[in-house]
C-alpha cells in the first residue's frame, strides 16, 4: 500500500539510531556510484507492471510457474541491458554481473532458469576457453543469443568428479568427439535451465583418445536447434521434477547417444588435444575445476546477502509484533525486547556482515591466485582451494540454520509462504549440496591440512591461512592460555584446530601401523578430519571478520566503528560459546571464564538492540526484493498479510465447487 504511514513502533526504533545509516549503506553496497546505480535500477524495475502479479506465483501450477518465470527472466534481461546502455555502460559484463547477482532471484521468487547461464556457462568459457574459443562463443553468450548451462553432476555421481561416467571419445578420422551416456547413472542430472531453457551447455566428460582416458575435460555441446528449439539427434533431455525449493530453475537431465561435436568444441585454455589425438596435460589438474572454485567464492558472498534479507524481515517484524509481558503490571512488549529473541536474530546480522567481509577477502585471494595461474605460478592454488571449500561449507550451513531460526522467530506468520522464508530456505539449503557436497568439501580441506601438518612438523614455511600451525608446534602443543578478547578467541580457535589436526594425524598414522592402507585410515578418521576442517574455517572467519572490521574502522566515523566492532565481538563470542567443549579440552578456559564470556555476549545483544532496525535498514533492501509482508519498510504487517490472504484463488469466489460436489452430499448422507 504505497504512501501508508509507517508503523509507530518501527518509526520509534529508527529514531534511536546512533550512527549514520547512509554511511553504513555506502560501505555495504560499495560506494556512491554503486549505490546510485542500485537505487536507479530498483526504481527502474519496481514500478514496472510486467513484474506485478495479481496472483502470487506460489499459487501457480509447476508448468505455469516455469512459463511465467521465463517471461520474467527475458523481461529482466532486456530491461537491465537497456538500463546499462542508457547510462553509457553497455558492456555486457555490467549487466551480466547485475543478472548473475541476487536481483534476478529477488524478483523471480523461486529462481531464475537463466541463472546458470550467467553464473557458470559464461564463466566456464572464460575460465576454460582459449582466446580463439572465447572470441567464438562469448559474444553470442553475453547477448543471450544462445542460452547455456553447465552439465557436470550425473544421476550416479556428483561431488566425486573422477567417478563421472559420460565419455567423449576422439575420432581421429573425422576430428570429432563422440559423446556417450553409457549407463542410466551417467545421465547428467540437476543443471539449472537444462530442461527446457538452454540450447547449449558445457559438458564435463571423460576424454578418451588413442585408447587412453585423460580424465575430466570441458566440452561445448549444442543441445537444441536454434530455430525450433527441438532436441538434436542423439540428445535425450527433460526436467527432473519438483524440489524442496527453486522450482522455477528448470533443473534437467541429459543423455547422449553417439552425439558428435568438432574437436574445436573441447575448451582448451588449459588441457589440449592435438589433431592426431595427442593429449597435452594442463599445468595442474585443479585448473579443470576452476569454474567450481569461482562459484564457491560467489556462494560465500550470496549467503551474506540472503542472510541480510532474512534478518531484515525478522528484525522488523519483531519490532512490530508484541507478545507477552515482561513485567506483569505492564502491557505486552515488542518481541525484540525479549533477550531470547535478540539471541535468535542478532547473530544472523553478525554472520551476514562477517560473511560479506570474508567473501571480499576470499575474492581478493581468488583474483590474486588466478592472476598468478596465468603466469604459470601454481603455489597458492591448493591454499585457495582448501579455504574456498570449507568457507562454502560453513557459510551455507550456518545460513541455512539462521534462515530457519529467523523463520521460527516470526512465529506462525513466518510459516506462511508469502513471508518468503520458505523460498530463501530453498535457495540456501540447496547450496549445502551443489558445487560440492559439504561433508566431502570438509574432507578436501582436511586432506590439505594433513599435508600442511607434515610440512609444519618438518619446519617448512607455511602459507598465511595455516601459519598458526607453526606457532602451535613452536609452543610445544601446550594448553593455550585463555583470554576473551577477540584476538584471544582467534588464537584459541586456532589452537583447537591445530590440536584436533595433530590428533587426527596421529590417529591416521596409528591406523596405518595397524595394517590399514592410508586411504582406509583416512576414512576411519573422517569424523575428526571434518571437525578439524570446520574449526579451521571458523577460526579463519573470526580472524578475517576482525581484521577487516578493524581496517574498516580506520575509515569510518566513530559511531559506525563502534557498531561494527560490537557486531564483530558478537560473532566471536557466539562462535566461542558454540565451541565450549573443544575450548575446555584444548585451552585453559575455566568456569568463571565461561560465565564472563556469556555475560559479554548478552551485553553485546543489549548494545545492538537500539540500532537493530537501523542496521537492517542500512542493508538497503527494497520491499520488491524482500518479498515479504512481515518485513516491509513501513511495518504495516497485519494489513499486508490480510492483502496477501485475499489474493488466494480460493478467495475469488464465495463458495468453492467442492461444496456442491462433495461436502454437501457428505453432510446430508446421515452417516
Amino acid at each position: 500500500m504505497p504512501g501508508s504511514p509507517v508503523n509507530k513502533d518501527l518509526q520509534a526504533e529508527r529514531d534511536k539510531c546512533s550512527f549514520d545509516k547512509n554511511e553504513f549503506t555506502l560501505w555495504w553496497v560499495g560506494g556512491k556510484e554503486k549505490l546510485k546505480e542500485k537505487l536507479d535500477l530498483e526504481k527502474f524495475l519496481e514500478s514496472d507492471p510486467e513484474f506485478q502479479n495479481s496472483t502470487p506465483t506460489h499459487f501457480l501450477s509447476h508448468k505455469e510457474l516455469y512459463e511465467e518465470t521465463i517471461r520474467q527472466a527475458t523481461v529482466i534481461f532486456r530491461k537491465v541491458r537497456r538500463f546499462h546502455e542508457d547510462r553509457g555502460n553497455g558492456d555486457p559484463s555490467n549487466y551480466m554481473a547485475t543478472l548473475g547477482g541476487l536481483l534476478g532471484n529477488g524478483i523471480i521468487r523461486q529462481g531464475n532458469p537463466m541463472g546458470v547461464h550467467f553464473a557458470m556457462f559464461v564463466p566456464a568459457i572464460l575460465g576454460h576457453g582459449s582466446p580463439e574459443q572465447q572470441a567464438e562463443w562469448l559474444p553470442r553468450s553475453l547477448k543471450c543469443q544462445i542460452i547455456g548451462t553447465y552439465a557436470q553432476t550425473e544421476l550416479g555421481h556428483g561431488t566425486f568428479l573422477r567417478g563421472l561416467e559420460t565419455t567423449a571419445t576422439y575420432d581421429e578420422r573425422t576430428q570429432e568427439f563422440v559423446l556417450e551416456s553409457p549407463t542410466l547413472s551417467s545421465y547428467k542430472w540437476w543443471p539449472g535451465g537444462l530442461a527446457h531453457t538452454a540450447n547449449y551447455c558445457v559438458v564435463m566428460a571423460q576424454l578418451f583418445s588413442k585408447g587412453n582416458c585423460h580424465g575430466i575435460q570441458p566440452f561445448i555441446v549444442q543441445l537444441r536447434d536454434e530455430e525450433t528449439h527441438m532436441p538434436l539427434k542423439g540428445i535425450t533431455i527433460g526436467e527432473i521434477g519438483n524440489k524442496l525449493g527453486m522450482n522455477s530453475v528448470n533443473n534437467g537431465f541429459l543423455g547422449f547417444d553417439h552425439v558428435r561435436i568438432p574437436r574445436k568444441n573441447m575448451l582448451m585454455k588449459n588441457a589440449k588435444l592435438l589433431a592426431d589425438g595427442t593429449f597435452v596435460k594442463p599445468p595442474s589438474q585443479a585448473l579443470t575445476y576452476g569454474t567450481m572454485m569461482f562459484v564457491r567464492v560467489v556462494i560465500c558472498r550470496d549467503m551474506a546477502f540472503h542472510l541480510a534479507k532474512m534478518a531484515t524481515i525478522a528484525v522488523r517484524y519483531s519490532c512490530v509484533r508484541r507478545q507477552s509481558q515482561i513485567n506483569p503490571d505492564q502491557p505486552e512488549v515488542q518481541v525484540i525486547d525479549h533477550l531470547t529473541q535478540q539471541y535468535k536474530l542478532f547473530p544472523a546480522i553478525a554472520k551476514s556482515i562477517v560473511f560479506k567481509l570474508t567473501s571480499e577477502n576470499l575474492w581478493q585471494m581468488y583474483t590474486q591466485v588466478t592472476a598468478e595461474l596465468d603466469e604459470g605460478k601454481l603455489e597458492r592454488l591448493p591454499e585457495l582451494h582448501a579455504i574456498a571449500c570449507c568457507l562454502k561449507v560453513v557459510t551455507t550451513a550456518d545460513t541455512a540454520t539462521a534462515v530457519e531460526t529467523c523463520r521460527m522467530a516470526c512465529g506462525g506468520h513466518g510459516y506462511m509462504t508469502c513471508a518468503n522464508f520458505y523460498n530463501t530456505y530453498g535457495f540456501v539449503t540447496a547450496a549445502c549440496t551443489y558445487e560440492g557436497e559439504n561433508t566431502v568439501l570438509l574432507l578436501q580441506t582436511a586432506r590439505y591440512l594433513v599435508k600442511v601438518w607434515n610440512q609444519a612438523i618438518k619446519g617448512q614455511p607455511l602459507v598465511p591461512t595455516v601459519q598458526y600451525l607453526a606457532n602451535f608446534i613452536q609452543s610445544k602443543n601446550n594448553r593455550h592460555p585463555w583470554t576473551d578478547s577477540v584476538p584471544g578467541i582467534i588464537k584459541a580457535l586456532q589452537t583447537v584446530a591445530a590440536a584436533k589436526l595433530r590428533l587426527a594425524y596421529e590417529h591416521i598414522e596409528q591406523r596405518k601401523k595397524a595394517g590399514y592402507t592410508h586411504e582406509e585410515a583416512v576414512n576411519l578418521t573422517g569424523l575428526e578430519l571434518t571437525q578439524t576442517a570446520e574449526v579451521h574455517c571458523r577460526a579463519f572467519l573470526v580472524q578475517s571478520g576482525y581484521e577487516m572490521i578493524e581496517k574498516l574502522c580506520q575509515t569510518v566515523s566513530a559511531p559506525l566503528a563502534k557498531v561494527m566492532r560490537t557486531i564483530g565481538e558478537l560473532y566471536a563470542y557466539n562462535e566461542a560459546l558454540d565451541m565450549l567443549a573443544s575450548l575446555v579440552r584444548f585451552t585453559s578456559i575455566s568456569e568463571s571464564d565461561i560465565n564472563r564470556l556469556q555475560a559479554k555476549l548478552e551485553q553485546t545483544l543489549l548494545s545492538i538492540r537500539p540500532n537493530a532496525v537501523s542496521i537492517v535498514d542500512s542493508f538497503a533492501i527494497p520491499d520488491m526484493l524482500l518479498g515479504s509482508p512481515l518485513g516491509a519498510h513501513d511495518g504495516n504487517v497485519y494489513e499486508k498479510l490480510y492483502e496477501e490472504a485475499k489474493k488466494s484463488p480460493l478467495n475469488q469466489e464465495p463458495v468453492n465447487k467442492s461444496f456442491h460436489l462433495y461436502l454437501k452430499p457428505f453432510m446430508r448422507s446421515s452417516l
Side-chain angles (χ1 to χ4, degrees), residues 120-413:
M120 295 194 74
F121 181 72
V122 172
I125 295 171
L126 286 166
H128 299 306
S130 66
E132 296 78 15
Q133 290 172 318
Q134 291 183 22
E136 178 180 356
W137 295 103
L138 276 179
R140 298 183 73 205
S141 301
L142 289 170
K143 294 175 183 176
C144 282
Q145 292 172 342
I146 61 173
I147 304 294
T149 185
Y150 186 84
Q152 178 169 285
T153 298
E154 297 174 354
L155 186 56
H157 283 91
T159 306
F160 182 62
L161 299 186
R162 293 198 305 277
L164 295 180
E165 299 176 82
T166 302
T167 61
T169 304
Y170 185 60
D171 183 344
E172 295 176 35
R173 181 179 55 84
T174 62
Q175 295 200 13
E176 293 175 314
F177 295 103
V178 182
L179 274 77
E180 286 284 352
S181 302
T183 63
L184 178 62
S185 60
S186 70
Y187 271 46
K188 295 299 181 182
W189 195 272
W190 278 113
L194 172 64
H196 302 94
T197 309
N199 56 1
Y200 284 80
C201 71
V202 169
V203 175
M204 301 299 284
Q206 302 280 4
L207 168 62
F208 285 84
S209 73
K210 295 183 177 293
N212 297 314
C213 179
H214 305 294
I216 298 296
Q217 304 299 332
F219 303 84
I220 289 188
V221 183
Q222 183 176 355
L223 305 174
R224 294 176 177 271
D225 183 273
E226 291 192 24
E227 188 62 35
T228 66
H229 209 56
M230 286 293 292
L232 299 183
K233 183 182 177 182
I235 298 289
T236 301
I237 196 167
E239 199 215 31
I240 66 172
N242 223 33
K243 309 170 294 290
L244 178 68
M246 303 176 74
N247 278 306
S248 57
V249 170
N250 198 220
N251 301 91
F253 62 78
L254 171 64
F256 300 103
D257 182 8
H258 290 85
V259 174
R260 287 181 171 267
I261 60 172
R263 184 175 69 90
K264 68 183 181 65
N265 280 31
M266 174 179 159
L267 293 174
M268 297 196 201
K269 178 180 179 180
N270 302 312
K272 296 175 177 60
L273 192 80
L274 304 183
D276 66 355
T278 301
F279 180 70
V280 181
K281 290 183 178 181
S284 168
Q285 188 59 36
L287 294 173
T288 308
Y289 310 131
T291 303
M292 290 187 70
M293 207 177 309
F294 165 77
V295 174
R296 286 169 190 160
V297 173
V298 172
I299 286 171
C300 296
R301 178 206 65 187
D302 286 353
M303 292 303 108
F305 290 115
H306 280 306
L307 201 43
K309 280 176 62 175
M310 297 303 100
T312 299
I313 294 168
V315 167
R316 285 178 178 168
Y317 175 73
S318 297
C319 292
V320 172
R321 182 75 168 185
R322 290 180 174 269
Q323 184 80 32
S324 304
Q325 301 161 301
I326 293 178
N327 292 309
D329 58 340
Q330 293 181 5
E332 288 183 290
V333 298
Q334 294 164 279
V335 177
I336 202 167
D337 284 335
H338 295 282
L339 190 71
T340 50
Q341 187 78 347
Q342 296 169 25
Y343 183 58
K344 292 175 186 176
L345 303 184
F346 296 173
I349 295 174
K351 286 176 182 176
S352 69
I353 290 171
V354 170
F355 291 175
K356 178 185 185 292
L357 289 164
T358 305
S359 71
E360 291 172 354
N361 194 3
L362 182 62
W363 183 255
Q364 291 169 10
M365 187 187 301
Y366 175 81
T367 53
Q368 180 181 343
V369 172
T370 49
E372 291 173 359
L373 290 177
D374 289 339
E375 299 171 5
K377 300 175 183 176
L378 307 175
E379 292 81 5
R380 292 197 66 191
L381 185 60
E383 178 191 23
L384 172 64
H385 178 254
I387 200 66
C389 281
C390 64
L391 278 172
K392 184 267 184 186
V393 171
V394 172
T395 57
T396 57
D398 281 11
T399 300
T401 300
V403 169
E404 179 66 353
T405 300
C406 287
R407 179 192 70 78
M408 292 191 289
C410 293
H413 294 330

Side-chain angles (χ1 to χ4, degrees), residues 461-516:
L462 304 180
V463 292
T465 56
V466 290
Q467 181 58 46
Y468 68 88
L469 296 175
N471 301 334
F472 176 79
I473 291 170
Q474 290 168 8
S475 69
K476 304 193 185 303
N477 307 348
N478 293 324
R479 288 168 67 85
H480 176 71
W482 169 261
T483 58
D484 58 16
S485 65
V486 177
I489 291 171
I490 293 166
K491 289 180 180 176
L493 296 181
Q494 290 174 339
T495 297
V496 169
K500 283 180 174 285
L501 178 58
R502 180 198 66 201
L503 289 172
Y505 180 85
E506 290 173 354
H507 293 156
I508 290 171
E509 294 303 309
Q510 289 168 10
R511 287 177 168 124
K512 285 162 67 175
K513 288 177 182 176
Y516 292 102

Side-chain angles (χ1 to χ4, degrees), residues 360-636:
E360 291 172 354
N361 194 3
L362 182 62
W363 183 255
Q364 291 169 10
M365 187 187 301
Y366 175 81
T367 53
Q368 180 181 343
V369 172
T370 49
E372 291 173 359
L373 290 177
D374 289 339
E375 299 171 5
K377 300 175 183 176
L378 307 175
E379 292 81 5
R380 292 197 66 191
L381 185 60
E383 178 191 23
L384 172 64
H385 178 254
I387 200 66
C389 281
C390 64
L391 278 172
K392 184 267 184 186
V393 171
V394 172
T395 57
T396 57
D398 281 11
T399 300
T401 300
V403 169
E404 179 66 353
T405 300
C406 287
R407 179 192 70 78
M408 292 191 289
C410 293
H413 294 330
Y415 192 65
M416 296 186 70
T417 299
C418 68
N420 207 20
F421 291 108
Y422 157 77
N423 282 333
T424 305
Y425 185 74
F427 274 105
V428 300
T429 196
C432 295
T433 308
Y434 63 62
E435 302 316 313
E437 191 276 331
N438 277 4
T439 300
V440 176
L441 291 190
L442 285 177
L443 288 169
Q444 289 187 18
T445 299
R447 193 156 45 239
Y448 168 78
L449 292 175
V450 169
K451 290 180 182 177
V452 169
W453 181 259
N454 247 321
Q455 296 170 6
I457 58 180
K458 294 174 183 175
Q460 296 174 1
L462 304 180
V463 292
T465 56
V466 290
Q467 181 58 46
Y468 68 88
L469 296 175
N471 301 334
F472 176 79
I473 291 170
Q474 290 168 8
S475 69
K476 304 193 185 303
N477 307 348
N478 293 324
R479 288 168 67 85
H480 176 71
W482 169 261
T483 58
D484 58 16
S485 65
V486 177
I489 291 171
I490 293 166
K491 289 180 180 176
L493 296 181
Q494 290 174 339
T495 297
V496 169
K500 283 180 174 285
L501 178 58
R502 180 198 66 201
L503 289 172
Y505 180 85
E506 290 173 354
H507 293 156
I508 290 171
E509 294 303 309
Q510 289 168 10
R511 287 177 168 124
K512 285 162 67 175
K513 288 177 182 176
Y516 292 102
T517 66
H518 177 76
E519 292 74 17
E520 289 170 339
V522 168
N523 176 52
L524 292 172
T525 318
L527 295 179
E528 292 178 84
L529 289 170
T530 54
Q531 292 165 9
T532 298
E534 182 178 346
V535 181
H536 166 73
C537 184
R538 293 189 181 280
F540 180 80
L541 276 161
V542 178
Q543 180 182 26
S544 183
Y546 171 74
E547 290 175 352
M548 294 194 77
I549 285 174
E550 286 303 309
K551 184 178 177 181
L552 175 67
C553 288
Q554 307 307 312
T555 63
V556 299
S557 65
L560 180 55
K562 182 179 179 182
V563 170
M564 294 300 294
R565 285 194 174 105
T566 304
I567 287 168
E569 288 164 359
L570 173 60
Y571 183 79
Y573 301 155
N574 197 49
E575 287 293 299
L577 285 167
D578 282 347
M579 218 174 292
L580 272 184
S582 293
L583 291 175
V584 169
R585 185 179 179 189
F586 297 115
T587 77
S588 65
I589 194 170
S590 65
E591 184 177 355
S592 61
D593 292 328
I594 295 170
N595 290 336
R596 186 164 55 251
L597 184 62
Q598 177 73 27
K600 292 183 80 166
L601 177 134
E602 291 165 0
Q603 185 54 52
T604 60
L605 296 176
L606 295 174
S607 298
I608 291 169
R609 165 69 185 88
N611 283 312
V613 168
S614 296
I615 292 170
V616 298
D617 281 355
S618 300
F619 292 143
I621 306 170
D623 288 356
M624 173 184 66
L625 298 188
L626 284 177
S628 173
L630 304 190
H633 190 270
D634 63 16
N636 294 314

